Amino acid sequence: MNAIEINNLTKKYKKSICAVDDFSLAIPSSSIFGIVGPNGAGKSTVMNILAGVINKTEGSFTILGKQIKKGGYEYKREVGFVLDKPHYIEKLSVIDYLNFCAAMYELPAKEIEMRVSELLHFFELDEKKDERIEFCSKGMKKKVSLAAAMIHQPKLLILDEPLEGIDPVAVKQIKDTLRLMAEKGVTVILSSHNLDAVEKFCDEVAIIDKGKLVFQCKTQKIRAKIKNELTKETYESLEEIFIDAVSTKDTKKGSKKLSWL
Ligand SMILES: Nc1ncnc2c1ncn2[C@@H]1O[C@H](COP(=O)(O)OP(=O)(O)OP(=O)(O)O)[C@@H](O)[C@H]1O
């Protein structure tokens, strides 16, 4: 079974901005799947629709085999989200927020205590557990978001730029943990605007540009696909996401200069 199936999804903002354009995608279960595209490609819009934060304009999608209708978010117990604009309760401390999230899933009190304590330790938030979220750093907020997404042991994690702003040691630990979760049957979907940062970590990647799916493939095949199958126009449009793989002097954007330098 696919963890997610998206069929002909379209999202228009203000009736004219087409952020997601007839987008279809099937995401296999028990794997780590990357949605990669340049700034403004439509990644957050897709994830916000899956999370039920915004409504689609057209199309349909299933999550864990269930067709999702407007307002029908009973599946949320089985899914954990990290979104680009997290809905923190900023006045709460880190520990109170995690306790609150765990309580929403009606976990037993002992279980809540154990999981919150382990997550605080894992994300090195112990010392900041009593800090109000509004005063946490960007990286700490991202860690709180990740901890909250994992607390109820979901079967599916939908993570919008989850590693952005987190230091490299923690990134390594988070990646190892997500890999372990995938081995135990969890599906992890994450977005990034940097192919190099996620390609080795993901099993499969979908490239998205201007709201459309460019292609979807296993990560081992991605470089060959980029080299051999993209038109010059698509390649140039996507340079931002694989700039590390090409020499900047060979790119159309590498030749940009500020007039005063
Ligand atoms: N609330 C909104 N109202 C109007 N336009 C929006 C809104 N949210 C997003 N957009 C537009 O939709 C398009 C897709 O944006 P989105 O945030 O989904 O892209 P993204 O791939 O996540 O980008 P980034 O990597 O920069 O976060 C962009 O053109 C953006 O300006």
Side-chain angles (χ1 to χ4, degrees):
M1 183 186 74
N2 288 320
I4 292 189
E5 284 178 19
I6 301 174
N7 299 305
N8 310 101
L9 193 70
T10 294
K11 172 67 186 176
K12 287 187 180 158
Y13 292 108
K14 298 170 191 159
K15 295 202 174 128
S16 62
I17 303 164
C18 195
V20 177
D21 188 3
D22 200 18
F23 181 80
S24 298
L25 188 67
I27 299 179
S29 298
S30 311
S31 65
I32 302 183
F33 192 97
I35 298 182
V36 184
N39 293 137
K43 307 177 293 293
S44 296
T45 302
V46 170
M47 294 195 156
N48 285 335
I49 292 171
L50 295 176
V53 173
I54 57 173
N55 288 324
K56 60 188 168 61
T57 308
E58 275 173 53
S60 62
F61 60 95
T62 64
I63 292 186
L64 300 171
K66 294 182 196 112
Q67 190 77 37
I68 306 304
K69 297 195 176 72
K70 196 175 166 186
Y73 290 106
E74 62 284 348
Y75 67 91
K76 278 190 177 169
R77 278 174 186 272
E78 296 172 306
V79 190
F81 295 98
V82 168
L83 298 176
D84 64 333
K85 294 187 189 86
H87 295 257
Y88 297 116
I89 302 177
E90 295 251 327
K91 301 287 175 201
L92 289 185
S93 67
V94 170
I95 191 164
D96 284 349
Y97 176 70
L98 292 179
N99 278 328
F100 170 77
C101 291
M104 283 211 311
Y105 295 110
E106 295 167 6
L107 299 175
K110 273 253 166 300
E111 193 70 26
I112 293 179
E113 198 183 331
M114 189 270 285
R115 289 195 200 179
V116 169
S117 157
E118 272 201 46
L119 284 165
L120 286 171
H121 185 67
F122 178 81
F123 285 105
E124 297 191 337
L125 290 166
D126 285 305
E127 281 180 27
K128 294 283 183 182
K129 69 179 174 14
D130 297 316
E131 187 79 272
R132 287 219 306 243
I133 291 182
E134 62 182 325
F135 301 130
C136 286
S137 70
K138 193 170 85 179
M140 280 163 53
K141 283 185 180 177
K142 199 45 101 39
K143 288 177 175 179
V144 173
S145 241
L146 274 160
M150 291 175 179
I151 205 155
H152 55 301
Q153 295 189 314
K155 290 186 192 143
L156 172 63
L157 278 169
I158 299 180
L159 312 173
D160 195 359
E161 305 262 6
L163 306 173
E164 194 75 358
I166 294 183
D167 62 70
V169 174
V171 163
K172 167 108 183 47
Q173 280 169 351
I174 294 165
K175 281 183 171 177
D176 289 349
T177 301
L178 293 175
R179 175 53 63 196
L180 204 62
M181 289 166 96
E183 282 166 14
K184 289 183 183 291
V186 174
T187 308
V188 180
I189 297 152
L190 57 95
S191 72
S192 177
H193 53 261
N194 185 343
L195 181 63
D196 302 281
V198 296
E199 104 177 281
K200 287 193 189 74
F201 172 56
C202 294
D203 301 306
E204 207 167 315
V205 166
I207 306 286
I208 171 172
D209 187 32
K210 299 185 186 79
K212 283 187 176 290
L213 180 72
V214 180
F215 64 81
Q216 168 180 5
C217 74
K218 300 260 182 223
T219 35
Q220 308 90 287
K221 296 192 177 148
I222 200 161
R223 295 287 158 179
K225 219 167 165 72
I226 288 169
K227 200 162 165 244
N228 303 326
E229 291 182 28
L230 295 189
T231 61
K232 187 168 179 289
E233 194 189 21
T234 310
Y235 182 87
E236 286 185 354
S237 167
L238 284 168
E239 269 175 359
E240 287 91 341
I241 65 166
F242 41 75
I243 196 80
D244 292 2
V246 292
S247 164
T248 47
K249 67 176 171 15
D250 296 332
T251 69
K252 71 177 187 335
K253 298 200 173 129
S255 59
K256 275 186 191 162
K257 285 205 176 64
L258 293 168
S259 65
W260 63 87
L261 292 177

